[in-house]
């Protein structure tokens, strides 16, 4: 009760913001008719006048101008709620808007507003397709005001990227923008940079980019051999048996060798003890990685094998995670497990997390259908506020209470029965599963009943557009992973909505979830596929007491229930218990994020120092000044400033890459510090500071040696990698603490 005043104050603030926004939008609506009499040039000129000082002189007038321009350039008249969303974006909020409410137009209007205020804006998307589509679709609106717009895609070369980044509004997938940041940190001439500084990041699917994937590292690697997991270790681990040689914890996120397992591994490898100093940071790590790959990473759930390669599955989207791989040791272990060629990771030249990437922008705002559930993360990690935008039309979807069953088998039978019942009426059904294996098993069960099923998962994501376009048609049954839960807009009656009224009469799209996710945001993303723009719809989730979210969130607690003969449990107490379990798992995910960020933050700060040093070397003659002072005997060459710059930058980049390698090794085994009653995170920070302390001086000392030796870097065998490539590292999805791929090693000594 003591903090009631605080929550009231927070609520009042939000309420005041909303009331002010609504009043401004109402005022804007009343001004549209007057502006409609102006020609295009006059409307554009009015916009420039209103933004001349870099701020909005009259927000209501400006929103009216944007509405008129949208109608003339795109044939789209924004709803009042869309104008309200634009206003909140321009003020730096993350907005929550439901599916089908027109976020693409809202984003373009806000981006145009920022552009008119003299701020270059990056509209961050989740893939190439959306970046190219939205840039082209919204181009007439942006160009109406004399601004330029472009899209960044994987296919663009360096010069094309350079031109695109010079635009006022740049659409681009988050990974490509991040990769360009990394590539620009390897240049030796400023003219070779492709990116131009941006002032604003406007993030589509903001909770996905800023929260779910925030700590995904983007990696730039060079063509130097990496460290592979040995085939001998993989063969030894392959023959270990559960319970005898290793155990798996209750939530199936960590695996541990038993004494018998350790003895067998030691005997097979011909070593004395895995826990000797010479093996604990090397052999033991490889054994643990191979054990994770064998026991915990499951084909068609965590990864696919396609075209002789391991393809990771993005759990939050259900899609193949393009360009992603696990850390080298785990990736190699899975490849060896599947009998594939083990790929080289190469030498990591630089890396940056999506969270660190987003924090580079002076201003961040965004849009999503599920921002409220991520309010705490957005506030804690980005100091962002959430604004909820009302629907244009009242929601008519019926959200049925969860149907709970004692066992997974009973739940699965009930799901099949319910789908069959709905299908018999002609009502379209969208089923959201958790992984590829589950989606295919359910589709097979439905096919056995004579029900035609469209399957959408990571194995056939190329057909996504067609399957989604048909998902709202009469009698359609679509079984999908989380691919259908985010970024899709399913229209009743099919793509052309020819049978819209007939489907609406049947109750609209019925969405069925086969289980609760570890976070309610993903449930709500799936639920939001039904009930767009005032359409009717149904959402229903099935849960069993054996589901992952229940066993993990309820670990260590006991509940009792009396199921019906069919296994169903009709109890408000148990329903509340399931909700409690989900909140626990959400808290676990937040803690993982917070702990992992503690490990990443110091490296991010150190990276900023390296960037500042690089910028000085690139933009000034500092390299020549420093080298000539330390080696005055060296005669200036014809291009002595650039020569000195090349030498300094080479050794700075080389030392930074070595620092990243050292800290990666430290992080792999940092939890062993707990054995000595040391705090892992404190020890990690101590080591990171110590290793970084002399980095710049080492780079200078080596540069002086190279400078004195004379000649070019190539002459001295110090050339940069002849080839580089980029990828994303997906941290081990099973690491309970989220701190390390091998975080479970510390528990070996319990």
């Amino acid at each position: 009760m003591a903090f009631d005043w605080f929550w009231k104050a927070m609520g009042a603030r939000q309420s005041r913001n909303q009331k002010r926004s609504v009043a401004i939008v109402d005022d804007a609506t009343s001004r549209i008719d007057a502006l409609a009499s102006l020609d295009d040039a006059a409307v554009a000129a009015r916009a420039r006048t209103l933004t001349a000082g870099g701020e909005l002189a009259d927000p209501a007038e400006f929103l009216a101008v944007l509405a008129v321009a949208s109608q003339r350039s795109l044939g789209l008249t924004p709803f009042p709620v869309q104008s309200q969303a634009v206003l909140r974006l321009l003020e730096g909020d993350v907005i929550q808007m439901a599916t089908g409410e027109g976020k693409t137009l809202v984003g373009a209007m806000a981006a145009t507003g920022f552009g008119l205020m003299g701020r270059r804006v990056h509209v961050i998307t989740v893939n190439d397709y959306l970046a190219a589509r939205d840039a082209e679709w919204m181009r007439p609106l942006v160009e109406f005001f004399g601004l330029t717009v472009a899209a960044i895609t994987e296919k663009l070369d360096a010069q094309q990227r350079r031109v695109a980044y010079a635009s006022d509004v740049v659409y681009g997938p988050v990974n490509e923008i991040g990769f360009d940041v990394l590539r620009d940190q390897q240049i030796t001439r400023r003219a070779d940079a492709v990116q131009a500084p941006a002032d604003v990041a406007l993030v589509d699917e903001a909770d996905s980019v800023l929260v779910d994937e925030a700590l995904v590292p983007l990696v730039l690697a060079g063509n130097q051999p990496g460290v592979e997991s040995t085939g001998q270790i993989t063969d030894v681990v392959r023959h270990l048996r559960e319970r005898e040689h290793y155990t798996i914890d209750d939530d199936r996120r960590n695996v541990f060798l038993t004494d018998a397992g350790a003895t067998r591994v030691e005997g097979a490898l011909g070593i004395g003890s895995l826990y000797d100093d010479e093996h604990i940071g090397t052999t033991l790590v490889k054994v643990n990685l191979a054990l994770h790959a064998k026991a915990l990473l499951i084909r068609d759930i965590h990864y696919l094998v396609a075209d002789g390669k391991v393809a990771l599955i993005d759990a939050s989207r259900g899609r193949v995670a393009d360009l992603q791989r696990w850390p080298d040791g785990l990736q190699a272990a899975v490849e060896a497990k599947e009998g594939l060629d083990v790929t080289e990771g190469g030498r990591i030249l630089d890396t940056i997390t999506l969270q660190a990437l987003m924090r580079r922008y002076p201003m961040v705002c965004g849009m999503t259908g599920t921002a409220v559930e991520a309010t705490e993360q957005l506030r804690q990690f980005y100091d962002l506020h959430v604004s909820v935008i009302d629907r244009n039309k009242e929601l008519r979807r019926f959200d049925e209470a969860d149907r709970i069953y004692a066992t997974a088998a009973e739940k699965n039978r009930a799901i099949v029965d319910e789908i069959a019942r709905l299908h018999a009426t002609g009502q379209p059904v969208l089923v959201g599963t958790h992984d590829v294996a589950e989606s295919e098993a359910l589709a097979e069960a439905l096919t056995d009943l004579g029900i035609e099923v469209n399957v959408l998962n990571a194995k056939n994501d190329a057909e996504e557009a067609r399957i989604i376009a048909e998902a709202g048609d009469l009698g359609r049954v679509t079984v999908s992973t989380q691919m259908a839960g985010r970024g899709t807009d399913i229209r009743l009656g099919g793509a052309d909505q020819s049978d819209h009224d007939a489907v609406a009469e049947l109750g609209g799209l019925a969405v069925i979830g086969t289980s609760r996710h570890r976070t309610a945001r993903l449930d709500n993303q799936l639920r939001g596929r039904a009930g767009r723009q005032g359409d009717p719809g149904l959402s229903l989730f099935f849960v069993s007491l054996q589901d992952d979210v229940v066993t993990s969130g309820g670990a260590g607690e006991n509940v009792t229930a009396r199921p019906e003969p069919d296994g169903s449990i009709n109890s408000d107490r148990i329903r509340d218990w399931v909700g409690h379990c989900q909140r626990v798992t959400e808290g676990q995910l937040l803690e993982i994020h917070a702990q992992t960020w503690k490990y990443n933050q110091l490296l991010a700060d150190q990276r900023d120092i390296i960037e500042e040093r690089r910028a000085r070397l690139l933009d000034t003659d500092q390299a020549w000044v420093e080298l000539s002072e330390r080696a005055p005997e060296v005669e200036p060459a014809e291009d002595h400033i650039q020569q000195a710059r090349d030498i300094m930058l080479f050794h700075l980049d080389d030392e930074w890459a070595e620092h990243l390698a050292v800290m990666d090794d430290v992080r792999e085994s940092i939890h062993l510090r707990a054995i000595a009653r040391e705090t892992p995170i404190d020890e990690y920070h101590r080591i990171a500071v110590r290793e970084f302390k002399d980095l710049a001086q080492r780079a200078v000392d080596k540069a002086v040696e190279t400078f004195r030796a004379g000649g070019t870097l190539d002459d001295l065998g110090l050339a940069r990698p002849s080839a580089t490539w980029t990828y994303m590292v997906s941290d081990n999805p099973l690491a309970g603490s989220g701190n390390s791929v091998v975080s479970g090693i510390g528990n070996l000594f319990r």
Side-chain angles (χ1 to χ4, degrees):
M1 296 297 291
F3 293 93
D4 279 357
W5 65 270
F6 174 77
W7 297 113
K8 288 179 181 177
M10 292 294 289
R13 175 185 172 188
Q14 180 71 6
S15 178
R16 285 196 299 272
N17 280 343
Q18 296 287 25
K19 288 179 180 177
R20 184 174 65 84
S21 297
V22 170
I24 291 172
V25 170
D26 288 343
D27 189 8
T29 303
S30 68
R31 303 191 194 189
I32 290 176
D33 288 342
L35 291 169
S37 62
L38 302 178
D39 60 22
D40 290 358
V43 172
R46 182 60 181 154
R48 288 191 289 273
T49 300
L50 291 168
T51 56
E55 301 290 339
L56 291 182
D58 185 341
E61 183 84 359
F62 185 68
L63 290 176
V65 167
L66 285 177
V68 171
S70 175
Q71 173 60 45
R72 294 183 183 181
S73 60
L74 299 172
L76 300 174
T77 301
F79 306 130
V81 291
Q82 289 177 295
S83 293
Q84 183 186 348
V86 171
L87 184 62
R88 302 309 313 154
L89 285 174
L90 291 173
E91 295 191 5
D93 285 357
V94 172
I95 62 166
Q96 175 168 301
M97 292 186 73
T99 300
E101 297 291 308
K103 287 192 288 288
T104 303
L105 177 59
V106 166
M109 291 170 68
T112 301
F114 285 124
L116 287 167
M117 286 186 276
R119 305 180 197 177
R120 179 175 287 115
V121 57
H122 288 174
V123 183
I124 309 291
T125 66
V126 294
N127 57 46
D128 276 19
Y129 167 75
L130 289 175
R133 184 202 70 177
D134 293 354
E136 198 57 35
W137 184 12
M138 296 292 119
R139 179 181 301 278
L141 173 62
V142 180
E143 293 181 344
F144 182 94
F145 297 99
L147 301 174
T148 54
V149 59
I152 301 295
T153 64
E154 185 182 355
K155 297 178 180 179
L156 298 187
D157 60 28
Q159 181 55 30
Q160 291 171 321
R161 290 169 185 265
R162 210 170 282 120
V163 172
Y165 277 119
S167 300
D168 301 300
V169 178
V170 181
Y171 286 80
V174 62
N175 59 311
E176 282 301 315
I177 289 175
F179 290 148
D180 283 335
V181 168
L182 295 176
R183 294 187 190 102
D184 278 356
Q185 288 304 309
Q186 298 294 310
I187 61 172
T188 57
R189 291 171 171 79
R190 179 60 73 186
D192 292 337
V194 300
Q195 277 200 348
D199 306 290
V200 180
L202 199 164
V203 187
D204 193 15
E205 303 293 352
D207 60 325
S208 176
V209 173
L210 300 177
V211 178
D212 294 338
E213 300 178 8
L215 299 179
V216 172
L218 305 175
V219 175
L220 178 70
N223 61 337
Q224 299 180 37
V227 178
E228 300 180 0
S229 180
T230 65
Q232 185 184 9
I233 289 175
T234 302
D235 289 338
V236 172
V237 170
R238 184 181 288 120
H239 292 94
L240 299 183
R241 293 187 295 273
E242 188 177 353
R243 289 188 291 276
E244 180 182 353
H245 299 124
Y246 62 88
T247 59
I248 301 174
D249 63 5
D250 291 339
D251 61 2
R252 300 193 68 81
R253 294 170 73 87
N254 275 301
V255 58
F256 313 106
L257 279 175
T258 63
D259 290 342
T263 301
R264 174 156 182 161
V265 171
E266 290 160 353
L269 296 180
I271 62 177
S273 172
L274 283 169
Y275 311 118
D276 289 344
D277 289 343
E278 64 178 304
H279 295 300
I280 198 168
T282 54
T283 309
L284 179 57
V285 170
K286 291 181 179 180
V287 169
N288 200 66
L289 290 170
L291 196 55
H292 270 72
K294 167 185 169 67
L296 300 180
L297 292 176
I298 303 169
R299 184 168 174 168
D300 289 346
I301 294 179
H302 301 110
Y303 65 93
L304 302 172
V305 175
D307 301 325
K309 298 179 181 178
V310 170
L312 277 62
I313 298 175
D314 183 339
S316 68
R317 296 196 188 117
R319 295 176 167 87
V320 168
D322 293 326
L323 301 176
Q324 289 197 32
R325 56 184 283 133
W326 286 305
D328 286 345
L330 188 62
Q331 184 81 16
V334 174
E335 290 168 341
K337 166 190 171 183
E338 295 291 345
L340 306 174
D341 292 336
V342 177
T343 58
E344 292 183 348
R347 187 192 192 195
I348 293 177
L349 304 177
D350 204 356
T351 180
I352 188 171
T353 64
L354 297 190
Q355 184 161 336
L357 175 65
M358 290 297 103
R359 289 165 69 97
R360 294 169 63 90
Y361 292 90
M363 180 179 181
V364 177
C365 57
M367 313 174 290
T368 180
T370 48
V372 170
E373 295 89 344
T375 297
E376 176 60 21
Q377 293 99 318
L378 294 170
R379 184 201 61 77
Q380 180 176 342
F381 299 112
Y382 304 95
D383 196 26
L384 290 173
H385 299 284
V386 172
S387 285
V388 178
I389 307 301
D390 291 335
R391 295 171 179 267
N392 182 52
K393 296 181 179 179
E394 186 178 350
L395 178 64
R396 294 171 58 198
R397 186 186 68 231
F398 177 69
D399 298 327
E400 189 174 327
D402 292 354
R403 296 187 190 177
I404 302 174
Y405 291 80
T407 68
E410 291 164 332
K411 179 193 72 172
N412 292 337
R413 283 195 295 270
I415 291 172
V416 172
D417 290 344
E418 182 65 16
I419 295 170
R421 186 189 68 78
L422 290 169
H423 176 68
T425 69
Q427 187 172 4
V429 181
L430 172 68
V431 188
T433 66
H434 283 222
D435 53 65
V436 173
E438 185 186 9
S439 69
E440 294 186 339
L442 178 57
E444 184 178 352
L446 292 170
T447 302
D448 289 343
L449 294 177
I451 299 174
E452 184 179 346
V453 180
N454 277 348
V455 179
L456 177 60
N457 59 39
K459 285 186 174 180
N460 64 341
D461 57 357
E463 301 180 70
E464 179 179 358
R466 176 188 63 80
I467 293 172
I468 289 298
E470 298 172 350
D473 207 355
L474 278 168
R476 190 73 59 177
V477 176
T478 305
V479 176
S480 174
T481 57
Q482 190 59 20
M483 290 179 67
R486 188 181 288 278
T488 59
D489 186 10
I490 299 174
R491 305 183 180 216
L492 300 190
D496 60 1
Q497 297 184 276
S498 58
D499 293 320
H500 176 278
D501 293 347
V503 174
E505 188 68 25
L506 292 168
L509 179 68
V511 169
I512 292 178
T514 60
S515 180
R516 289 295 191 115
H517 289 83
R518 286 178 169 256
T519 169
R521 284 188 298 107
L522 295 183
D523 291 342
N524 290 334
Q525 285 285 352
L526 179 61
R527 187 178 283 113
R529 299 315 99 191
R532 68 176 300 278
Q533 281 293 324
D535 286 335
L538 166 71
S539 75
L540 168 61
F541 281 77
F542 288 78
V543 183
S544 89
L545 299 185
Q546 295 177 336
D547 288 353
D548 179 65
V549 68
V550 177
T551 57
S552 178
E557 302 182 52
N558 293 316
V559 295
T560 57
R562 181 175 295 176
E564 300 295 329
D566 64 350
S568 62
I569 301 172
N570 188 17
S571 166
D572 290 340
R573 180 175 59 86
I574 298 299
R575 197 166 286 112
D576 291 343
W577 163 253
V578 171
H580 162 76
C581 292
Q582 187 177 54
R583 289 190 293 275
V584 170
T585 61
E586 287 178 329
Q588 292 170 346
L589 292 174
L590 178 59
E591 178 62 19
I592 288 172
H593 191 141
Q595 288 298 319
T596 306
W597 176 238
K598 290 178 182 178
Y599 282 91
N600 292 337
Q601 190 171 15
L602 184 58
L603 274 183
D605 292 341
Q606 292 176 342
R607 195 179 185 285
D608 289 342
I609 296 171
I610 296 295
E611 282 192 34
E612 291 175 6
R613 169 73 170 166
R614 266 193 132 265
R616 287 196 300 273
L617 293 173
L618 275 171
D619 299 330
T620 69
D621 62 353
Q622 185 166 339
W624 167 253
V625 171
E626 291 184 15
L627 290 177
S628 61
E629 286 178 350
R630 289 169 171 79
E633 71 277 10
V634 178
E635 293 292 328
E638 182 178 348
D639 192 14
H640 60 280
I641 292 179
Q642 185 60 46
Q643 185 184 48
R645 183 179 292 141
D646 288 344
I647 292 171
M648 278 288 215
L649 288 173
F650 173 86
H651 287 291
L652 179 66
D653 294 342
D654 188 63
E655 288 296 322
W656 175 243
E658 184 61 27
H659 180 66
L660 292 175
V662 168
M663 294 315 301
D664 187 58
D665 289 342
V666 169
R667 185 168 166 181
E668 288 285 294
S669 58
I670 194 65
H671 289 271
L672 298 174
R673 301 280 175 164
I675 303 168
R677 301 187 182 279
E678 297 171 339
T679 305
I681 185 66
D682 292 343
E683 282 301 296
Y684 181 85
H685 283 167
R686 185 184 64 78
I687 296 169
V689 170
R690 183 192 69 199
E691 294 294 325
F692 186 77
K693 183 179 179 181
D694 300 324
L695 186 155
Q697 189 57 51
R698 288 198 305 271
V700 171
D701 291 344
K702 291 181 178 180
V704 172
E705 292 180 18
T706 302
F707 186 62
R708 283 175 172 155
T712 65
L713 290 172
D714 287 341
D715 294 338
L716 299 171
L718 298 176
R720 292 175 176 273
S722 59
T724 62
W725 64 95
T726 53
Y727 58 89
M728 301 171 72
V729 176
S730 176
D731 207 357
N732 179 12
L734 306 154
S737 68
N739 294 332
S740 170
V741 169
V742 291
S743 59
I745 291 180
N747 293 319
L748 290 167
F749 301 90
R750 292 184 300 184

